[in-house]
Amino acid sequence: MALLEIDNLSAFYGRAQSLHNVSFNVGKGEIVAVIGTNGAGKSTLMDSIMGMVKNTGAIRLEGQDLIGFDSSEIVKRGVGYAPERAHLFPFMTVEDNLLVGGYTARDDIGRNLAHVHELFPVLKQRATQETATQSGGERQMVSVGRALMTSPRLLLVDEPTIGLSPKVCSEIAATLKRLNEEDGLTILITEQNINFAMSLATRVHVLETGHLRISGTPQELAADDALNKAYFGG
Amino acid sequence: MSQILIQGLLLSGLYALIAIGFTLIFSVGRVLNLAYGAYLMLGGYAYFWVVQTMHMPKLLGILVAIGVGVLAGLLKHRLIVKPLKSDPVAVEIATLILAVVIQAGVVLVFNDSAKIMHPIVNGVWRVGGATVTYNILTATIASWVILIGLYYFVRKTHVGRAISAVSMDVKGAAISGINPDRINMITWGLSGALGAIAGVFFASYTQLSPSMWVAPLIIAVAVVIVGGIGSIIGTLIVAHIIGFMEIISTTLVAAELRGVFTMLLIIVVLVMMPKGLFGRGEL
Ligand SMILES: Nc1ncnc2c1ncn2[C@@H]1O[C@H](COP(=O)(O)OP(=O)(O)O)[C@@H](O)[C@H]1O
Ligand SMILES: [Mg+2]
C-alpha cells in the first residue's frame, strides 16, 4: 500500500474548481514532485491534503481517509507541511517557531529540535532572532524545520525554492535528500523549478490548470518532447 | 508630585489588568469584544453577591467571579463568535448589544442604584505625603502578578505559545497541529476570567453600577488602539500613558475631566497613527 493515495481528487473554492480528478500515489520512502506553472493548482493540492480546501474524491494516508478531518488532526496523523510563503510566526523567535511545531509531538521535542539544528545549524545560531527579520532562505529552513517538529511520516513542501538564490536552493535540496535517505522520510514537493524537482524526485507529475497531464520518472519526462517544448522552451 | 507618581502607578496597574483580556481577544481573533466591559460588571456583581449578600469568604467571591467570567467568555464564543464566523463587524455589533442586555439583566436582579463595595483589603498606607489604600495597592500588585504570569504563560507553555501563534498566523498555527477554533475558545474563556477579576478590583476602586461597563471598555479600547495589535508589554506601557494622563488631568486640571483625555487620545491616535504606537502582531 502506498503511504499517500490520492484518488480522483477535485478541489473547489466556492464554485470555482481548481483540481479535476487528480489521482496519484506516493510510496513509502519516495520523493515525489508535482510540477506546474503558476495557478496550476499545486498549493491547492497541498492544502487539500491538509484539510484546508473543499474536496471530493479521496486522500488516504496508510489507507485511512483524511478528507473531513481538521488540519490539526491531519498533522497528528503524521503529515508535516512547509507551505508556500512559509506562514511563520513573524514576531516569535526561531526557537519558538520550532517549538510551536512541536505542539502535537511533545514527547519528541528534544530529539526533533536537536535533529533540526543538525540539519540547519544556522537555526541554532539564530535561535533568538525573530523570523520577521530573517532572510528568505533562513525562513524556508525554519518552515521545513517547523514541519519536522511535528514528527511527520510524510513531508509536504510547497515550492521551497521560490525567490531563493541557487546556492540556498541546493542547500535545501541537499537537506531534503538527506532526510529522505538517512531518515527514510517520504516527501511530496511541488515546484515550478523543473530542474530542482527533477534532481530530487523519483517520480514527477505534471499539473496543468488542475489536471494531472503527464507522469513518469525524471528520465522519462526528460525524454518527452512535448514536455520539453512546454517547459524548457526547446 | 509623589502623590501623582504613586496614584499614577497604582491606577495604571489596574488599567493594564482591565485592558489585557480585551487585548488578548483582539490579538487572537482580530475582533473588538465590545461586551468586554460586561465581564467586569459580571465579575464585580458576582463578588458583591457572594461576599456582601451571602456573607461568604472573599476568596470564594473572587473564585465565583472568575467562574462567571469564564462561563460568560465561553458562552459568548460558542453562541456569538463561532456562528458569526468571527466576522469582526457582526461580532462587534452583537457584543455591543449583548453588553446592553447584560446591563438590563443586572438592573433586573440588583436594581439600578449604585452599590458600594467594601474594600477587599482594609487599611491605608502613608508614604511621603501620599495616602494609598491597601485595597488599590493589592489591586495593583495583583495586576502585576497576573500580567507577569500571563507573559510567561504565553511564552513558555504549549497552549500559551499556541495562542500567540494563532494571533500571528492562523494557517501557520493550523499546520503546526493547533486547532485555531479551540485556541479561540480558550482565549475567550481566559479573557472572561481576566475581565471578571479586573472587575472585582475596579468595582472596589470605584463602585458597582449597571453602567460600570462603559468606562473600562473605553480604557481597553484605548489601550488596543494606542498600543496597536496588543502585546503584553505594549499593553502595560499604554496603560501607564493613559493612567498617568488621567491622574495628571484630574488632579491638576479638573476632576470632571476623568476619562475625557482617554477618549481624546483614542481619536488623536486613530487620526494620526492608524496602526497605533506599537503596531505589531505579537502577544
Ligand atoms: N483561496 C482561493 N480562493 C479562490 N481561488 C483560489 C484560492 N486559492 C487558489 N485559487 C485558485 O485556484 C487555482 C490554483 O491556484 P494554486 O493552487 O494557488 O496554484 P499554484 O500553487 O500552482 O500556483 C488558481 O486558479 C487560483 O486562482
Ligand atoms: Mg502555489
Side-chain angles (χ1 to χ4, degrees), chain A residues 131-154:
Chain A
T131 56
T133 63
Q134 283 189 298
S135 69
E138 283 173 16
R139 290 164 46 74
Q140 189 59 52
M141 293 175 199
V142 177
S143 176
V144 172
R146 185 181 63 184
L148 293 175
M149 292 296 292
T150 67
S151 293
R153 289 180 289 162
L154 170 68

Side-chain angles (χ1 to χ4, degrees), chain A residues 47 72 83 87 91-92 109 130, chain B residues 158 169 171-172 175 177 280-281:
Chain A
D47 283 358
S72 55
H87 288 273
F91 307 122
M92 271 190 216
I109 283 180
E130 289 185 354
Chain B
H158 285 290
D169 196 307
K171 181 168 178 174
I175 63 170
R280 335 192 328 160

Side-chain angles (χ1 to χ4, degrees), chain A residues 42-43 84 158-159:
Chain A
K42 302 181 296 298
S43 301
E84 191 176 338
D158 191 8
E159 295 206 49

Side-chain angles (χ1 to χ4, degrees), chain A residues 37-44 84-85 158-159 162 190 192:
Chain A
T37 53
N38 230 342
K42 302 181 296 298
S43 301
T44 302
E84 191 176 338
R85 285 192 294 277
D158 191 8
E159 295 206 49
I162 225 169
T190 61
Q192 293 191 55

Side-chain angles (χ1 to χ4, degrees), chain A residues 148-212:
Chain A
L148 293 175
M149 292 296 292
T150 67
S151 293
R153 289 180 289 162
L154 170 68
L155 178 66
L156 310 180
V157 190
D158 191 8
E159 295 206 49
T161 66
I162 225 169
L164 301 184
S165 71
K167 182 173 168 288
V168 180
C169 287
S170 55
E171 263 180 67
I172 303 240
T175 307
L176 293 177
K177 209 160 193 107
R178 188 174 158 195
L179 280 167
N180 176 253
E181 285 169 0
E182 291 177 15
D183 305 344
L185 187 62
T186 309
I187 301 174
L188 175 62
I189 63 169
T190 61
E191 264 304 339
Q192 293 191 55
N193 180 341
I194 315 275
N195 293 323
F196 182 87
M198 296 285 221
S199 70
L200 213 53
T202 44
R203 275 194 86 71
V204 179
H205 303 279
V206 181
L207 195 60
E208 258 179 45
T209 55
H211 299 268
L212 211 57

Side-chain angles (χ1 to χ4, degrees), chain A residues 16-64:
Chain A
Q17 184 168 359
S18 295
L19 291 178
H20 301 263
N21 304 309
V22 170
S23 302
F24 68 95
N25 288 346
V26 181
K28 208 165 160 45
E30 269 193 295
I31 299 184
V32 170
V34 173
I35 60 178
T37 53
N38 230 342
K42 302 181 296 298
S43 301
T44 302
L45 173 66
M46 296 300 211
D47 283 358
S48 297
I49 299 171
M50 295 310 295
M52 299 177 145
V53 185
K54 207 167 146 285
N55 294 109
T56 60
I59 301 171
R60 286 183 290 270
L61 186 72
E62 289 189 323
Q64 289 189 308

